[in-house]
């Protein structure tokens, strides 16, 4: 991370994961062979617009690479419904650092600089850990997510990555992008 004229430059790796358009079609149609039961039970619009498909595909990819995947955590809210998942992250990263991260995020939120409570996943194995946000198509990291990424790097010492669903890729590959956080 570099700082220039009150703008922080964040370097974020994008892991391009080959993405199957046939899977996406079946997801949108609600095919129970590809859509988990809890997603089929969603009320209202969502699955039909492919919500959740990128996250599901990315989590499946990371599990295939023998990572543990935590979906559903909240490191900022004082009344999180994900206490068990938060506890695993606290154990892995250190309870004091997670508390410091949460306090910093809450302080920024009160000052009007919204910080998201989580990215899509926390990925780890015995050698490494990082946060991941899944993106497909024209989706991009929002300022509140960039603030989370910055605080995670600075306070927790944990990088964040984007899992980019790539319909043109035949093999996974990594690119690095620079984002500005003002």
């Amino acid at each position: 991370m570099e700082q220039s004229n009150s703008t922080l430059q964040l370097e974020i790796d994008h892991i391009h994961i080959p993405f199957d358009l046939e899977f996406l079609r079946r997801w949108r149609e609600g095919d129970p062979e590809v859509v988990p039961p809890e997603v089929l039970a969603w009320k209202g619009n969502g699955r039909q617009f492919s919500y959740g498909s990128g996250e599901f595909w990315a989590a499946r990819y990371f599990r295939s690479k023998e990572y543990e995947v935590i979906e559903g955590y909240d490191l900022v809210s004082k009344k999180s419904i994900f206490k068990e998942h938060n506890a695993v992250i606290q154990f892995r990263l250190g309870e004091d650092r997670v508390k410091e991260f949460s306090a910093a995020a809450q302080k920024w939120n009160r000052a009007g600089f919204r910080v998201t409570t989580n990215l899509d996943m926390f990925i780890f194995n015995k050698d490494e850990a990082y946060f991941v946000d899944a993106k497909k198509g024209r989706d991009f990291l929002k300022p509140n997510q960039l603030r989370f990424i910055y605080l995670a790097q600075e306070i927790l010492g944990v990088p964040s990555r984007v899992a980019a669903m790539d319909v043109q890729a035949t093999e996974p590959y990594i690119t690095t992008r620079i984002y500005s956080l003002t």
Side-chain angles (χ1 to χ4, degrees):
M1 266 173 273
E2 283 181 31
Q3 188 169 359
S4 64
N5 300 336
S6 75
T7 299
L8 293 170
Q9 302 294 313
L10 306 173
E11 287 188 15
I12 301 172
D13 285 344
H14 285 232
I15 304 168
H16 295 259
I17 300 170
F19 191 60
D20 183 3
L21 287 176
E22 176 63 15
F23 163 82
L24 185 59
R25 182 192 64 75
R26 292 174 67 189
W27 181 278
R28 287 177 175 160
E29 291 175 356
D31 184 337
E33 289 186 28
V34 298
V35 182
E38 63 274 12
V39 175
L40 286 173
W42 286 354
K43 302 289 185 219
N45 291 331
R47 189 202 74 256
Q48 300 88 335
F49 297 113
S50 74
Y51 296 160
S53 61
E55 293 84 350
F56 178 84
W57 193 264
R60 187 174 83 168
Y61 168 80
F62 288 112
R63 286 184 179 109
S64 78
K65 300 297 181 193
E66 300 191 13
Y67 284 93
E68 296 292 326
V69 177
I70 294 178
E71 299 173 90
Y73 63 93
D74 180 344
L75 299 181
V76 179
S77 173
K78 292 181 180 180
K79 297 182 179 182
S80 174
I81 62 171
F82 301 109
K83 292 187 187 324
E84 289 178 19
H85 290 171
N86 292 349
V88 172
I89 295 170
Q90 285 179 348
F91 179 78
R92 175 67 195 228
L93 303 180
E95 185 175 351
D96 290 341
R97 290 194 316 177
V98 171
K99 284 180 181 177
E100 183 182 349
F101 171 88
S102 177
Q106 290 171 12
K107 182 177 178 180
W108 281 24
N109 283 334
R110 286 189 302 275
F113 298 100
R114 189 167 172 270
V115 177
T116 189
T117 60
N118 65 342
L119 296 184
D120 291 326
M121 293 165 247
F122 179 71
I123 309 293
F124 65 99
N125 62 21
K126 64 182 174 75
D127 299 318
E128 64 180 333
Y130 50 93
F131 295 99
V132 170
D133 206 71
K135 301 292 184 191
K136 65 182 180 315
R138 295 186 189 127
D139 196 7
F140 57 91
L141 289 170
K142 317 295 186 287
N144 63 329
Q145 293 173 316
L146 291 171
R147 291 184 195 105
F148 179 100
I149 290 168
Y150 172 77
L151 291 175
Q153 177 68 39
E154 292 299 306
I155 297 172
L156 300 173
V158 176
S160 298
R161 298 183 175 145
V162 169
M165 303 304 104
D166 191 332
V167 297
Q168 296 179 341
T170 56
E171 294 290 327
Y173 66 96
I174 296 174
T175 60
T176 301
R177 292 192 186 166
I178 297 175
Y179 291 84
S180 295
L181 178 62
T182 53

